[in-house]
Amino acid sequence: MPDPALLPPIPPAPRTTVRCRRCGRPLHDPESRILRLGPECRTPDPASAAVPGDQDTLPGLE
Ligand SMILES: [Zn+2]
């Protein structure tokens, strides 16, 4: 059994959990944490982006 003092230190966990502001999932990669958006929420969904014509703004949605 190796001496515990020779083992590499465990990197400290992030103190705050950054969650995606759209879906609320915890973000782990630095870029997503800076943007506060997960990879799947950063790019617009083609299905929802390609809505033809005018559309009323739904309350509670941005
Ligand atoms: Zn998300």
Side-chain angles (χ1 to χ4, degrees), residues 20-25 27 37-42:
C20 176
R21 57 184 173 181
R22 286 188 66 178
C23 70
R25 287 170 54 182
L27 305 174
L37 277 175
E40 55 280 297
C41 295
R42 229 179 292 164

Side-chain angles (χ1 to χ4, degrees), residues 6-52:
L6 298 178
L7 296 176
I10 301 173
R15 294 188 179 182
T16 58
T17 300
V18 179
R19 292 181 179 276
C20 176
R21 57 184 173 181
R22 286 188 66 178
C23 70
R25 287 170 54 182
L27 305 174
H28 299 292
D29 63 292
E31 189 177 356
S32 296
R33 290 167 66 97
I34 292 172
L35 296 173
R36 291 182 177 270
L37 277 175
E40 55 280 297
C41 295
R42 229 179 292 164
T43 54
D45 184 4
S48 62
V51 177

